């Protein structure tokens, strides 16, 4: 299962980046930035209904920058949604749960880092 902590550990080990909590109104929203201070990931807890999903529970998600063509393909799969809080053409929201493929998630994190860098 992909969790916030798994993601933070992966990013710290591979990119020496640590979460920054910049939103006072949303204290659990974590931004991850490149050394050039560009966002490459945003980890959030968002209500399912705000994501167009059924239910009202808050779930953890990550927004990553992706190639627009890849985003279109991934959105056809469960757990991949149009970006919440970011440009929907260039960013993708991924639900973090027990069905999230960690290997794919880490590859997408790598891609996002490289796209913004």
């Amino acid at each position: 299962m992909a969790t916030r902590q798994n993601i933070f550990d992966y990013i710290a080990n591979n990119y020496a980046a640590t979460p920054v909590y910049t939103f006072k109104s949303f204290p659990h929203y974590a931004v991850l930035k490149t050394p050039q201070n560009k966002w490459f990931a945003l980890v959030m807890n968002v209500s399912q209904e705000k994501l167009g999903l059924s239910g009202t529970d808050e779930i953890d998600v990550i927004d990553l920058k992706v190639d627009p063509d890849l985003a279109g393909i991934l959105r056809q799969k469960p757990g991949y949604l149009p970006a919440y809080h970011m440009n929907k053409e260039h960013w993708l929201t991924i639900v973090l749960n027990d069905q999230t493929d960690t290997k794919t998630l880490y590859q997408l994190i790598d891609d996002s880092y490289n796209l913004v860098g």
Side-chain angles (χ1 to χ4, degrees):
M1 178 169 164
T3 66
R4 287 172 167 261
Q5 193 57 54
N6 296 136
I7 291 167
F8 296 155
D9 291 345
Y10 178 82
I11 291 171
N13 290 333
N14 290 279
Y15 301 106
T18 57
V20 178
Y21 298 90
T22 59
F23 301 101
K24 290 181 183 178
S25 300
F26 301 98
H28 300 291
Y29 282 27
V31 176
L32 294 130
K33 301 177 185 182
T34 67
Q36 296 78 24
N37 210 32
K38 293 185 177 187
W39 294 23
F40 70 94
L42 176 61
V43 179
M44 304 170 282
N45 55 310
V46 180
S47 170
Q48 291 170 304
E49 62 190 349
K50 287 185 178 179
L51 298 169
L53 303 172
S54 60
T56 57
D57 292 340
E58 285 194 351
I59 58 173
D60 282 337
V61 297
I62 185 170
D63 276 6
L64 297 170
K65 189 164 190 175
V66 294
D67 176 89
D69 293 332
L70 179 59
I73 293 167
L74 289 173
R75 280 192 215 107
Q76 303 303 314
K77 296 181 171 189
Y80 295 89
L81 307 167
Y84 177 76
H85 193 69
M86 302 294 266
N87 178 295
K88 293 179 182 4
E89 181 181 354
H90 296 278
W91 290 78
L92 183 71
T93 292
I94 303 165
V95 175
L96 302 177
N97 61 25
D98 57 353
Q99 296 179 359
T100 306
D101 177 34
T102 306
K103 184 178 178 180
T104 301
L105 176 62
Y106 290 164
Q107 181 61 55
L108 290 169
I109 289 170
D110 295 342
D111 292 349
S112 183
Y113 186 89
N114 291 323
L115 282 169
V116 302

